[in-house]
Amino acid sequence: MDSPYGEIWLILLKGAGVAFLAVYALLRHPSSTAKLLALVLALSAMGDMLIELSLQWGGAAFFFSHVAAISLYLANPRASSTPSQKGLAVALLFLTPLICWLLTRDISIASYGLALGGMAATAWMSRFTRYRVGLGAVLFVISDWLIFYGIGERPYAETASMLVWPIYYAAQFLIATGVIQTLRHELRDVA
C-alpha cells in the first residue's frame, strides 16, 4: 500500500530547489530589491509544487511570480539600450504568447504567455546583466514552451518533458545569481 506522504515529500522536494534560491537572495543582500526577488522565487517554488496537483493552480502561482518579476525589472531599468535590444524585448513580449497559443490553442495559456513574455522582455531591458538575468528569462520562456509542446500527442514530447526541469532550474539560477551579483557589485562600489 502506497503512502500519500511519499507523494507529499516529492512535491516538497520539487519546490525546494527554487525555494533555496529565494533564501539565497534574502541572505546575500539586504535590499528591498533582493526581497522582491525572493518573493518572485518563492512564488515560483510554490508554482513548482502546485503544478504537481493542478496545472491551473501551478500556473496561477507562476503568473503571479511573473507579475512580481515584471515589477522588479521595471523598478530597475537599464540606462540605455540599442534598437536591437529594444527589438528583442518587443519580440519577447509579443511572440511568447503567440507561440504559447500556437502550441496549445488555449486562450488561458496564451494569456499566461503574455505575463511570461512581459517578464522576459522587462528582464531583458533591466539593468541586470543580460548574460545571466536576460538569458535566464529567455530560458524560462523556452522551458514553458517545452511544457506546452508536451501537451497532447507530438513527436519527441517525452524528450521535451525531460528537458523542462534542467532548463527551468538553470533559468531560475541565472536570474537569482544575476540579480544578486549586480546588487552586491553595486554595494562594493559604494563602500
Side-chain angles (χ1 to χ4, degrees):
M1 183 169 173
D2 289 328
S3 167
Y5 298 111
E7 186 175 322
I8 291 170
W9 280 109
L10 286 175
I11 291 170
L12 291 173
L13 185 62
K14 187 165 183 215
V18 177
F20 284 132
L21 290 174
V23 172
Y24 160 82
L26 289 173
L27 294 176
R28 296 296 287 169
H29 203 271
S31 69
S32 60
T33 301
K35 290 175 183 158
L36 184 52
L37 172 64
L39 174 64
V40 168
L41 294 166
L43 287 167
S44 289
M46 185 181 300
D48 291 334
M49 293 181 287
L50 289 174
I51 208 162
E52 292 300 313
L53 303 172
S54 161
L55 184 62
Q56 290 77 19
W57 283 104
F62 278 114
F63 177 86
F64 289 115
S65 173
H66 297 323
V67 170
I70 289 167
S71 69
L72 167 70
Y73 300 136
L74 286 177
N76 291 279
R78 184 171 296 275
S80 65
S81 296
T82 66
S84 64
Q85 292 164 340
K86 292 174 185 174
L88 182 56
V90 170
L92 285 167
L93 179 62
F94 292 110
L95 289 179
T96 300
L98 175 63
I99 293 171
C100 290
W101 164 255
L102 292 173
L103 287 171
T104 64
R105 304 288 191 214
D106 184 318
I107 192 67
S108 62
I109 291 177
S111 299
Y112 166 84
L114 187 58
L116 176 65
M119 177 279 297
T122 55
W124 192 258
M125 296 303 294
S126 73
R127 68 187 177 96
F128 304 115
T129 172
R130 285 194 179 106
Y131 296 111
R132 287 203 185 182
V133 178
L135 176 61
V138 170
L139 287 175
F140 199 126
V141 169
I142 291 169
S143 74
D144 276 1
W145 283 345
L146 289 171
I147 290 171
F148 303 144
Y149 179 82
I151 296 173
E153 298 295 321
R154 290 199 169 102
Y156 307 108
E158 190 172 314
T159 302
S161 292
M162 290 182 356
L163 293 172
V164 169
W165 183 252
I167 292 172
Y168 164 76
Y169 189 77
Q172 293 286 38
F173 182 84
L174 287 169
I175 290 168
T177 58
V179 170
I180 296 300
Q181 175 191 35
T182 300
L183 295 174
R184 289 179 58 83
H185 181 73
E186 291 170 353
L187 194 61
R188 273 180 284 184
D189 289 347
V190 172

